[in-house]
Amino acid sequence: MKLQVQTLVKSYGPVAALRGVSLELRDGEVHALCGHNGAGKSTLVKILSGVEQPDEGVLEINGEPISFRNPLDAQAAGIALVDQELSLVPQLTVAENIDLGRAGASFITRPGRARPRVKQLLGRVGLGHISPSTPVELLSIGERQLVEIARGLGREAGLLILDEPTATLSDTEIAFVFNAVRDVAAEGASIVFVSHRLGEVLSLCNVVTVLRDGELVATKPIAEVDRPTLIEMMVGSVVDADTSELRPSSGKIVTVSSLQVPPRVTGVDLQLEGGQIMGIAGQVGCGASEVLRALGGLVPQAAGDVSIAGKKVRINTPRGALASGVSYISGDRKGDGLFLNRSVSDNLIATRLGDLSQAGIMQPRAAARTAKELAEVAGIDPSRLRSAVVELSGGNQQKVFLGRCLDRKGTELLILDEPTRGVDVGGRAEIHNLIRRAAAAGHAVIFASTELTEILDLSDIIVTMFGGQVVSTRQRSEVTAASALAEITHRDSDAKAVA
Amino acid sequence: MTEVQQSPRQGRRARALGIMPVLLLVAMVVMFFVIPALKGTSPTDFNVYNAFQDWSALSLLALALGITVIAGEFDLSVLAMYSLGAMVAVQTGTSSPVLGVVLAVAAAGLIGLVQGLIVAKLRINSMTVTLGGYLTVLGLVNIIGGNASVPYKNVNVGISLDDPILSFFSIRSLITIAIFAIVFLVLRYTVLGRNLRAMGGERRATRIAGVRADPLLVGCFVASAMLAALGGSLLGYSLATAIPDLGFGPLIFAITAVLLGGVALAGGRGSALGIAAGAFTLALLNELFGLMATPDYISDLITGGLLFIVTIISAPDLFGWWRSVRAAKVTTPEQEPVALEKS
Amino acid sequence: MSTPDSTAIRPLAAIYTGSRRQLIGRAVAGVLIAFFIFGAVTTDSFTSIQNIRAILVATGFVGIVAVGMTVIMLSGNLFSLSLGTTVSVGAITFLWALKLGLVPAILITLGVGTAACAVQGLVIGAIGANPIIVTIGAGALQAGVAAWLTDGSSIFPPAGDKSFDFMTSTPLGIAFPVYVLVVLVIICELVMRRTRFGKEVYLVGENRQAATAAGLRVTLIITGAFAIAGACAALAGMLLGAFNQNATLLVGGTFTFDAIAAALVGGSAVTGGRGSVTRALFGALIIAAISDMLLLRGYSTGIQIMVKGLLVLFVVVIVQLNAREDRA
């Protein structure tokens, strides 16, 4: 099927995600969609699969304009999506998951009759050894991803969208996926392959489209590009000049050794000093979020040694971590972070109610003063102290979240996951300043980001992660945008090849 | 998206609970014969028959609640639907018992439809909606019955429903077994059942996969109300009375049976067979109480305690809590070896 | 995952659907209020002094339990389905313990109620057990223990004991429980607004996950919230026992549902974090007035129960319709 996309525009509030992107997908073609975080890939995929609707622009299938109100419409039009987040039901069997939501399935499920078809689909992704009646919850994460790809293949769609399908897979597993994708393309379907892994793009795809900041950089036949040109197209004009010298250390050393976060993250070692900012760069699924969650005490199963100035940190409960001087600022500020319907002031003082009360009685004046001070520090308009947090913009919400964790008595280590997710440009700068300020005050700061510019702007030490493991740890001055991107987009061996 | 993916280890742990209904049932059967023997008596065929009768009286209520729990919801109103079933059947089924049951089931289904629509369309917590539904229907039952128990004039119906067949069974328990068989087949071998389990397991993923979740949810509440009313109407005929307010006893039985039957409160896990087994375990327990002439308060204490225990076992944070308690016990960090996970 | 803030395109749609939904919500609320006023005006002797006193007494009892129920709701644990049983247990304990003297009896009763509910809160808070099921099970356990100890018979106060007469007095023509309720509301409101514990109850109720991540004392807070509810229920039971001069397990009767209805009608959010105990007082007043009105008009218990059920449904739907659609 021939699908054409013309001048798509989509914004989320003040943030423009797509600014007039056009694209053409042809039968039998594997079309790579590349671009760094924030380039607009996800938004484009969401529009193609009916999850989101564009503000402007047209979709055409075989020349006919078409619009999708929801994912079901897109499926009816022959578009199948393999989402980047796992979308299987763990309690159901492999066969049941593969048939879930398939149009035209008979009312009575006959596991016996579906078996050959499911077996064949599993075989195509290299899971021939797995029985269709295995419950998905017994599979490893990589196997689950393959089942999901098998489901996408089983939809016999005219357009198959694979969003980061290989993030959790091993090399052999990837080889199977590639073969399956080539087969489907040979059968005449068109395929969109979204990936950060340039090696994979170069070996699998026929055409590559690079997006940057919501705009189309170029669409080129794969023969016309190589790794360095792709990296250049993705990175654009990132300024590499700002290699500010190391911040003065406060001398308190934070060490993390052999941290494991089941099921995927193993053997993570980190070391930094108070006053320094460490940035963990990596793509979605690289394991950085899991590492930070574990440090914040949110993963009871995590194991490893963490210490601050020689003192052991208890990382099995949030209270333990907090008591040991770790403040964790989640990337999911609505779920793990803010109390949306409470006031800005209540949110700011939420974690220091103990200090603001005497014998359990709140000291209203001290509380009001603290809230005001924190608002000032975090750059929040004091007139909004009484508004509910839910009424603020994303940037201001994030400032409230940060403000709550700043200047806390006893905090040694500040941990931030995606500190500027969903925040506009102005808000970003302010949040970056807050982070720098925290470091200047002597805190050790570890943050994770999928945005390279943010990593390069803020960090003294840059850690790159890939597939649940640390690739490298370097001083800021030793890292360029291109070298970092190379390390987080493909495996060790590939990185050496490019260097 | 910060949700940590469940590991295969956790999956195995969760599945291991699936065998619980069978083990408990076996243990109960053993106890059913051993404990009376200690006191020099032994259960007769009649006791077994009685256990089946007890089972048919309450197991449909458990099934009604259970299917909503499998779908990731919780229907408190089943208790009132149960009373409603008895009340409508007893009052309308004098000349034709079948008509009475049909009317009872239809009335309950209609109310279930309204509840289902509120839950699905307005996305309101189902416990709250069905609490309102419970009170409303309970009031309705009292209105229909004039705030008093209503006798069923066609007493013969009850007698023939309960007439022993093959010494253990009766028409009533056979009907109940048939209903369980149907629900089992639907849940296990149809798209409907699969989608229902999927919805309870992972609603977001199910929607993304292309399942229309809302009609399914509404249907689930309709089916739940109808099953409860069916169970109630059969009981009404059997007792030849409809009692407007049964108290929480039947609901406690139903919840315990559902949990003992391996249905996860978080949804997505469980089967009609498990619920049947859980209910039969409890029915045997009740019969054992009767056999041993256990005072009411002791049997109440045991059933209440049982519910408390299964609730604790099925609590989501039990594991994490245990980990943190263990971690907190370690006072001297030097002596604590790093707990390396073999995975 | 991107989090779109209020956007350039959404406002138009939001104003339309939002206002339409809210309009429906307000219309339904208006109809309910009109119904109530119509009923009040057309019911004979509804507005007589005696009747208003009767309503106030009922408000006193329901309100005390509703205060406890509201605290549970605010902590984000829906509601308890056995506070009524705790009321019965309170009444039984009080009348039984009077032989030890008034003050010990009061202390023992409050202690028993608090402990019974605190245990439930502990289980719910520490391991995330389902509050509805825990409270149902705990209800059965309390009833079992009470039946065991009392042998299922009524409990009477020691003959000739006048020490608790003040509980049945009517200073200034208003029954004693009403004063207790007002004082209780003031104390609880102060606790909820002015103490660290109260602030944390609201936070945990608003977002338990975030509260855990922020290192708040979630288990302690939820245990505390249930303990308060237990103390309130025991208090109501004590007054009820004194009022009736005897106590059985049945005395708690409709308190569980009346208190839930009162807390919801007062406008506290069933999902936690929003509302106040003062609102519960008004909710209790409305529930008591409606019950009374239905009674005066000669409606049966059936209709009274049904009206409360419908009221719960309507209130829940109205609240949802009026809620902002930020997570649609």
Side-chain angles (χ1 to χ4, degrees), chain A residues 94 98 118-128 130-132 147 150:
Chain A
V94 170
I98 283 182
V118 172
K119 246 339 218 186
Q120 187 249 341
L121 285 172
L122 289 176
R124 286 174 82 172
V125 295
L127 289 180
I130 281 177
S131 158
V147 169

Side-chain angles (χ1 to χ4, degrees), chain B residues 150-167:
Chain B
V150 175
Y152 182 43
K153 300 199 184 69
N154 198 345
V155 184
N156 292 332
V157 175
I159 293 174
S160 51
L161 272 179
D162 290 340
D163 203 20
I165 299 171
L166 300 170
S167 56

Side-chain angles (χ1 to χ4, degrees), chain B residues 7 27 106 136 142 174 187:
Chain B
S7 71
T136 308
N142 273 291
L174 290 177
L187 281 183

Side-chain angles (χ1 to χ4, degrees), chain A residues 82-83 85-88 144-152:
Chain A
V82 176
D83 203 22
E85 284 175 60
L86 277 177
S87 303
L88 298 176
R144 289 182 210 187
Q145 180 68 39
L146 289 173
V147 169
E148 213 176 322
I149 293 170
R151 175 162 82 188

Side-chain angles (χ1 to χ4, degrees), chain C residues 128-143:
Chain C
N130 181 308
I132 301 294
I133 299 181
V134 167
T135 54
I136 292 177
L141 284 176
Q142 289 175 61

Side-chain angles (χ1 to χ4, degrees), chain A residues 349-357 362, chain C residues 196 199-200 203 216:
Chain A
I349 61 171
T351 50
R352 46 197 106 200
L353 294 173
D355 298 337
L356 296 174
S357 55
M362 290 295 299
Chain C
R196 176 184 180 190
K199 285 266 181 202
E200 290 186 342
L203 295 176
L216 298 187

Side-chain angles (χ1 to χ4, degrees), chain B residues 124-125 128, chain C residues 73 76-79 264 268-272 274 316 319:
Chain B
I124 307 180
N125 175 302
T128 319
Chain C
M73 228 177 250
N77 289 291
L78 300 173
F79 31 75
L264 285 173
S268 294
V270 73
T271 45
R274 273 170 293 163
V316 169
V319 167

Side-chain angles (χ1 to χ4, degrees), chain B residues 78-169:
Chain B
V78 287
L79 185 56
M81 300 291 182
Y82 190 62
S83 303
L84 180 73
M87 191 56 82
V88 172
V90 159
Q91 295 211 339
T92 60
T94 312
S95 52
S96 161
V98 175
L99 179 73
V101 172
V102 169
L103 286 176
V105 169
L110 204 65
I111 302 174
L113 179 70
V114 175
Q115 289 191 122
L117 284 172
I118 296 178
V119 171
K121 298 293 171 198
L122 294 179
R123 305 274 155 90
I124 307 180
N125 175 302
S126 61
M127 290 232 190
T128 319
V129 173
T130 56
L131 175 82
Y134 164 73
L135 289 175
T136 308
V137 176
L138 189 68
L140 188 66
V141 175
N142 273 291
I143 294 168
I144 300 173
N147 304 308
S149 295
V150 175
Y152 182 43
K153 300 199 184 69
N154 198 345
V155 184
N156 292 332
V157 175
I159 293 174
S160 51
L161 272 179
D162 290 340
D163 203 20
I165 299 171
L166 300 170
S167 56
F168 295 152
F169 303 103

